[in-house]
Amino acid sequence: MRLLLLTVLALVARNSIAQCTKDIDCKFDRICEKGTCIAPAQLRPSTKEPVTSTPKSEVGSQHALDAISQSLQEQLSCGGRPEPGKALRALRARAVIGKTPVMTIDGMHIFAVIKPLSVFGFKVLQVTGWEESSDKSLFSRGPGTAPPLNIQAIVEGDPQTVKREVEKKAGKAPLVSKESYTPHPKPTTSITCNERY
């Protein structure tokens, strides 16, 4: 009985040490790395050799991109309050988006995706969002009424197909609509999660 109690206490203690499971669990621009929230400047390349024959830089990069894609998809699914600042800072820290916006519309900076990123099975071309923040590199404030708290991804795909796939995985909470301001040879669609009032 005593051994069982010690085992349970050891497991609880070990699990309580992990601060995070994904980037959005961390505050500010910190990133989740092996269960710990760290600043992007603290990232160090892994010295362990991967088990696969894929070069280790590609293994680490792909794992990080998969985790970022999953975190962004969770925010777009509207399961909770959107956190665009956290999402955009994580994307910028991992160099998934450019440092400067490609355009600003209605006070929202729009950032081009420069590394492979996908949500709901669709290639992400651009991301944007809005929150009240002093960080003008991420959020601009034009005249007039501020946009609602939101996060948005512009993906490659026609609106009907994207809407069908998003509803399968996230229900009807995300707003899916035809996107018109991204110059792209194929149809583009925006997936948006607005704060619920």
Side-chain angles (χ1 to χ4, degrees):
M1 184 68 176
R2 185 175 178 191
L3 180 61
L4 177 63
L5 180 59
L6 289 174
T7 304
V8 169
L9 288 174
L11 287 172
V12 169
R14 190 182 74 198
N15 289 340
S16 66
I17 292 171
Q19 295 176 346
C20 60
T21 58
K22 53 193 172 294
D23 290 341
I24 64 171
D25 294 337
C26 301
K27 292 182 179 180
F28 310 110
D29 65 343
R30 294 171 15 149
I31 295 167
C32 184
E33 200 62 36
K34 297 180 183 171
T36 303
C37 293
I38 62 168
Q42 293 176 303
L43 287 175
R44 298 283 181 265
S46 173
T47 55
K48 292 182 181 177
E49 289 297 320
V51 185
T52 66
S53 61
T54 308
K56 65 182 173 184
S57 61
E58 289 179 27
V59 169
S61 295
Q62 189 56 51
H63 176 70
L65 287 173
D66 291 346
I68 288 171
S69 292
Q70 183 61 38
S71 293
L72 180 59
Q73 182 171 311
E74 286 175 17
Q75 284 220 32
L76 291 166
S77 296
C78 297
R81 187 173 190 261
E83 296 181 282
K86 192 177 278 190
L88 293 174
R89 284 183 195 94
L91 290 168
R92 192 165 61 183
R94 299 279 188 167
V96 176
I97 60 173
K99 290 184 179 183
T100 57
V102 292
M103 68 180 100
T104 301
I105 297 177
D106 291 335
M108 291 172 53
H109 287 326
I110 299 164
F111 295 90
V113 173
I114 54 179
K115 287 186 179 176
L117 186 67
S118 65
V119 292
F120 303 105
F122 298 95
K123 177 182 178 183
V124 180
L125 304 171
Q126 296 174 332
V127 293
T128 187
W130 168 260
E131 72 180 24
E132 192 65 44
S133 172
S134 60
D135 187 349
K136 301 302 177 203
S137 69
L138 288 177
F139 306 105
S140 174
R141 179 68 175 92
T145 306
L149 177 70
N150 75 83
I151 187 158
Q152 181 182 89
I154 292 97
V155 300
E156 187 177 272
D158 69 271
Q160 294 79 19
T161 304
V162 174
K163 185 175 180 82
R164 189 169 46 248
E165 291 304 309
V166 169
E167 286 183 357
K168 279 183 197 174
K169 296 173 182 169
K172 295 189 179 192
L175 175 64
V176 178
S177 59
K178 182 177 183 200
E179 197 282 315
S180 57
Y181 52 81
T182 300
H184 193 68
K186 297 181 180 177
T188 55
T189 301
S190 65
I191 305 168
T192 308
C193 178
N194 290 311
E195 180 178 30
R196 297 179 201 166
Y197 296 101

